[in-house]
Amino acid sequence: IERDDAEQIQAVMVRLSEFDKVFNEAQRQGRISFYMTSRGEEACSVGSAAALSSADWLLPQYRELGAAMWRGFSFSDVANQLASNSLDPAQGRQLPLHIGSKEKRFMYVKSTLGTQCPHAAGVAFAAKLRGKDEVALTYFGEGCASEGDVPSALNIAAVHGCRTIFFCRNNGYAIS
């Protein structure tokens, strides 16, 4: 890895950590309704996103804010979405931290555990059908691995030869 790339990755991880501190406090104070930190997982999301091409797709769960920041979401973009204010592109129609952008190839975060996995296999399959050299990367926690969507997605991707990366984080937060 080039030094400039490593420094960019480090800078995004530090910004993410600082952002987490501010908005976790805001959630605890009742100023926003929902926030999940990326504490301890900064390198997972930023490093994996940095390894991809900008033509590749990211399908996050809800601890991948670092990947979003790597893809170009600014503090203001995320803060406006968290506050559901008039500058929120979704105009308050998404839960806080449920960001996304077609232009950034960052699919909207979903609250339902595991559903992003078959979506990723579908995105990769669509790219294959279009003859595109694109990858779909999806993230999920170990607690979600027992949900039916995950093994189904693995099978779909394997059977159809879809370029899908399934990133399982064993983070100890299992809520399923």
Side-chain angles (χ1 to χ4, degrees):
I1 186 169
E2 297 295 324
R3 183 177 182 91
D4 288 346
D5 295 334
E7 287 174 354
Q8 278 185 304
I9 291 167
Q10 180 67 30
V12 172
M13 290 191 300
V14 169
R15 284 197 314 264
L16 171 59
S17 181
E18 292 304 310
F19 191 91
D20 271 354
K21 288 176 191 171
V22 170
F23 282 92
N24 191 51
E25 285 296 316
Q27 188 270 329
R28 302 254 179 204
Q29 295 166 2
R31 293 188 291 148
I32 59 173
S33 62
F34 180 80
Y35 191 79
M36 298 188 88
T37 70
S38 301
R39 191 173 303 125
E41 299 184 34
E42 298 90 347
C44 293
S45 65
V46 179
S48 59
L52 298 179
S53 157
S54 61
D56 295 330
W57 291 89
L58 290 166
L59 292 92
Q61 194 163 3
Y62 38 66
R63 295 190 191 277
E64 285 76 41
L65 184 55
M69 289 179 167
W70 182 262
R71 279 291 170 97
F73 284 87
S74 70
F75 275 14
S76 295
D77 294 335
V78 181
N80 289 327
Q81 196 280 328
L82 287 167
S84 298
N85 65 25
S86 63
L87 299 176
D88 171 15
Q91 299 176 337
R93 292 186 297 250
Q94 289 281 358
L95 285 170
L97 208 57
H98 286 53
I99 58 176
S101 167
K102 181 179 177 182
E103 296 74 31
K104 292 176 174 61
R105 294 183 174 238
F106 192 90
M107 301 295 273
Y108 275 90
V109 174
K110 294 130 194 85
S111 286
T112 48
L113 295 175
T115 60
Q116 70 279 9
C117 295
H119 295 163
V123 166
F125 186 57
K128 180 180 178 180
L129 291 176
R130 292 188 335 267
K132 301 289 184 178
D133 187 28
E134 299 169 359
V135 171
L137 166 60
T138 189
Y139 304 86
F140 60 100
E142 84 284 359
C144 167
S146 64
E147 297 290 325
D149 291 317
V150 175
S152 296
L154 295 169
N155 284 331
I156 292 166
V159 167
H160 294 290
C162 304
R163 296 169 43 107
T164 313
I165 300 169
F166 296 92
F167 194 120
C168 181
R169 295 170 282 102
N170 185 358
N171 59 16
Y173 291 125
I175 59 175
S176 63

